C-alpha cells in the first residue's frame, strides 16, 4: 500500500473551519444573488449565478465533514467551481479570459495533484490560496461596482481560505 494520497479527518479543526468557510461562501453568494434581484428572474441566471457555485460550496463542505477521510471526491466540486469561474470569464476581454482560464485550470490541476499525492508537498496549494486571495482582494474590491460583485469577491476569498485550511490539515493516508 502506498501512503501518498492526502486525507483529512472529518473531526479535524481544519476540516471544520474549512467546511464553515465553504458554507459561509455559499451564503454570501446567495445573499448577493438576492440583493441583485431586478424584478426579472431567468432560469439560466438562477442556475449559473446561484445554484452552481453555491451547490459546489455546500457539497465541498459536506464532503469535508462526512465520515470519509479521503479527499479524492472533493475534486469534483472544485472542478465544477473552477469551470463556473472560467465560464464567467468568457465575456471579458480576450487577455483576461485567457489569464483567468489559465490560473483556474492551473489551480484545479495543483489541487488534484496535491490530493492524489502526485505532488509531494502541500506548499504549492497553500501558495496558490494565499496569492489568489491577495489578488481577489486587490483587484476585486476595485472592480466591484455593486453589492453582488463585492459579495462575489468575498465569496471567492472565503473559498480560497477554506481550501487553505483544508491544505493545512491534510495528512498522508493509505491508498487502497
Amino acid at each position: 500500500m502506498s501512503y501518498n494520497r492526502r486525507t483529512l479527518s472529518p473531526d479535524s479543526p481544519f476540516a471544520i473551519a474549512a467546511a464553515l468557510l465553504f458554507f459561509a461562501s455559499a451564503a454570501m453568494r446567495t445573499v448577493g444573488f438576492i440583493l441583485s434581484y431586478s424584478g426579472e428572474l431567468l432560469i439560466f441566471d438562477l442556475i449559473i449565478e446561484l445554484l452552481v457555485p453555491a451547490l459546489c460550496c455546500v457539497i465541498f463542505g459536506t464532503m469535508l465533514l462526512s465520515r470519509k477521510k479521503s479527499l479524492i471526491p472533493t475534486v469534483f466540486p472544485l472542478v465544477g467551481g473552477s469551470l463556473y469561474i472560467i465560464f464567467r470569464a468568457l465575456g471579458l476581454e480576450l487577455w483576461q479570459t485567457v489569464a483567468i482560464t489559465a490560473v483556474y485550470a492551473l489551480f484545479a490541476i495543483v489541487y488534484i495533484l496535491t490530493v492524489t499525492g502526485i505532488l509531494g508537498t502541500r506548499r504549492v496549494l497553500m501558495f496558490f490560496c494565499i496569492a489568489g486571495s491577495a489578488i481577489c482582494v486587490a483587484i476585486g474590491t476595485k472592480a466591484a461596482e455593486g453589492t453582488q460583485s463585492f459579495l462575489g469577491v468575498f465569496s471567492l476569498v472565503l473559498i480560497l481560505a477554506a481550501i487553505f485550511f483544508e491544505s493545512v490539515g491534510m495528512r498522508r493516508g493509505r491508498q487502497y
Side-chain angles (χ1 to χ4, degrees), residues 55-120:
L55 279 178
C56 285
C57 288
V58 169
I59 290 169
F60 204 121
T62 304
M63 284 181 172
L64 289 177
L65 296 178
S66 72
R67 295 310 312 161
K68 303 286 184 191
K69 290 184 176 184
S70 176
L71 291 173
I72 300 294
T74 61
V75 166
F76 298 112
L78 182 103
V79 169
S82 294
L83 289 175
Y84 161 75
I85 291 176
I86 290 170
F87 175 76
R88 294 288 295 147
L90 293 178
L92 301 174
E93 293 182 27
L94 181 62
W95 72 271
Q96 291 173 328
T97 302
V98 170
I100 289 172
T101 301
V103 166
Y104 280 95
L106 186 60
F107 181 75
I109 289 169
V110 166
Y111 183 82
I112 292 168
L113 292 177
T114 302
V115 167
T116 57
I118 296 171
L119 189 62

